[in-house]
Amino acid sequence: YIHARQAFADNAGTGETLVIGPDKSRREIGYMWPHFLPDGHRIIYFVFSTVDEVRGIYLGSLDDRTRKQIARSDTSGVIVGDAVAFVQKGQLMRQRVDWSSGTPVGTPELFVENVASTFDFQTVASASDDGLLAYLPAVESTQLVWFDRSGKRHGTLPLPAARYRNPAISPDEQLMAVQRFDDSLSRIEIYDFKTLELKWSLAQSPA
């Protein structure tokens, strides 16, 4: 993990040397999940930004501090041979890259179905040099269940199964809010607690 106020650093025994840091003008919040290319000088990393077009996987260099976006993504990248792989909407996508020039080739294509990502934007996959891929299946599907104060279960709320977190009921018991995740991003959905009619869906939030 790379701290939001610190980017790639060269530890030469005398301290850290800042190579590149988040660009506030592009609303970048942090750089995360770096992976070195075999040359040991270039690195891919995930840029977290509140701007959709900025958020994604970038290729950078420790030598000249250049960087370029090689894939628009909401999760980190994994180097798989001549491509970078990342989770998008629950699927592992593959974007081919000409590593000699650092240029994306074509458009992302489906690689593996139903692959997980974490809540801190990491694609849960890893690839060996010989092309063997290991990944965690995206099998999480939760439901909202009603319990009384004694712990007795009274039934399941008739909402579609999804990745729900942090349900909360308003003090007057008229509204229910719940966080619903799509890959590593989420939105807050607010329902009429009696009818379960969706009242509002707030913009995607980073946490």
Side-chain angles (χ1 to χ4, degrees):
Y1 180 83
I2 299 175
H3 192 276
R5 296 182 59 191
Q6 171 187 323
F8 309 133
D10 177 20
N11 293 319
T14 58
E16 297 178 340
T17 300
L18 182 68
V19 176
I20 189 172
D23 185 345
K24 293 183 179 179
S25 69
R26 288 160 46 90
R27 295 169 66 183
E28 294 177 354
I29 297 174
Y31 296 166
M32 309 174 183
W33 309 118
H35 290 269
F36 274 98
L37 269 66
D39 60 23
H41 294 273
R42 293 180 298 165
I43 195 167
I44 67 166
Y45 57 99
F46 176 69
V47 172
F48 180 45
S49 170
T50 57
V51 179
D52 290 345
E53 292 74 17
V54 173
R55 192 168 54 247
I57 301 164
Y58 286 69
L59 175 66
S61 172
L62 299 180
D63 296 327
D64 55 17
R65 305 190 183 192
T66 59
R67 66 171 185 168
K68 65 170 66 175
Q69 188 183 63
I70 56 175
R72 162 73 186 88
S73 172
D74 295 329
T75 58
S76 66
V78 177
I79 298 171
V80 185
D82 63 349
V84 60
F86 54 92
V87 171
Q88 197 78 353
K89 296 189 180 303
Q91 315 287 14
L92 188 65
M93 306 300 292
R94 175 170 56 185
Q95 171 66 63
R96 297 192 181 278
V97 181
D98 179 351
W99 292 119
S100 62
S101 63
T103 304
V105 178
T107 58
E109 57 187 10
L110 178 63
F111 191 21
V112 180
E113 294 184 341
N114 300 320
V115 175
S117 60
T118 67
F119 297 124
D120 52 356
F121 317 106
Q122 183 182 27
T123 289
V124 189
S126 181
S128 63
D129 293 339
D130 60 5
L132 186 64
L133 179 72
Y135 64 91
L136 178 67
V139 296
E140 180 183 7
S141 183
T142 58
Q143 293 181 310
L144 297 175
V145 179
W146 180 254
F147 291 84
D148 64 20
R149 294 183 181 275
S150 68
K152 182 179 179 180
R153 177 170 175 162
H154 284 269
T156 301
L157 275 64
L159 295 175
R163 297 173 69 192
Y164 294 114
R165 290 289 186 276
N166 306 312
I169 301 172
S170 63
D172 61 6
E173 298 185 355
Q174 297 300 307
L175 298 174
M176 178 185 71
V178 64
Q179 189 176 21
R180 182 173 179 173
F181 277 86
D182 182 12
D183 292 336
S184 295
L185 298 179
S186 70
R187 61 182 181 271
I188 305 298
E189 295 183 339
I190 301 175
Y191 294 87
D192 183 302
F193 188 56
K194 304 299 183 183
T195 66
L196 292 183
E197 175 189 359
L198 179 63
K199 307 292 288 185
W200 303 282
S201 183
L202 304 185
Q204 283 189 328
S205 62

